[in-house]
Amino acid sequence: MNCEKCNQHPATTHIKRMAGGMVEEFHLCAACAKASGLLPGSSGGFNLADLFGGLLGNSVSQQPAAVQSPRCGACGLSLQEIAQSGRMGCAACYDTFAVQIAPTLQRVHSSVQHTGKTPEDGNPALRERRERESTLTQLREQIAQAVQEENYEQAAALRDEIRALEQGGNDDA
């Protein structure tokens, strides 16, 4: 597919933009995209800070000033500063501002839990151990819920399942 603007070079930049309820698509070569200001670093372009700040900006600007003042206990950044820079200051920011950033993360990533690649993905034994630990965590949450609901038969069955998984894990290690 050639560039829609110059029709000379292959289109390497593909942009979808929502405007007035209509979706616009652009297919441009790098030179035309840069000249149009659509590439990061070009005049009038966008960057990650603009994107993240824009997504958070609505929720930040709609909050009263008193709500905007909390700061991360570890790095000292406020939600307003995170929205302006487009970057979290540290890992603790995710916990500190979880309520405010969860809707944005859900919109951008379709999830608030990391599901990407990890170093263990290439090693089946490590992947199995991670999956077993995840299953054990879920079972422990279920057993706590069963005990809270006084469903002791289910809790006993879950306990037995946890023991079997833990013993199976000890045999592998």
Side-chain angles (χ1 to χ4, degrees), residues 42-58:
S42 62
S43 61
F46 63 92
N47 60 32
L48 184 60
D50 293 340
L51 173 67
F52 194 62
L55 289 171
L56 270 178
N58 293 339

Side-chain angles (χ1 to χ4, degrees), residues 25-37:
E25 290 188 48
F26 303 98
H27 306 282
L28 306 171
C29 66
C32 290
K34 187 170 185 175
S36 299

Side-chain angles (χ1 to χ4, degrees), residues 52 56 75 77 82 85-91 93-94 97 101 105:
F52 194 62
L56 270 178
C75 69
L77 283 182
I82 291 169
S85 71
R87 294 184 176 157
M88 296 290 181
C90 67
C93 288
Y94 289 96
F97 303 113
I101 66 170
L105 292 174

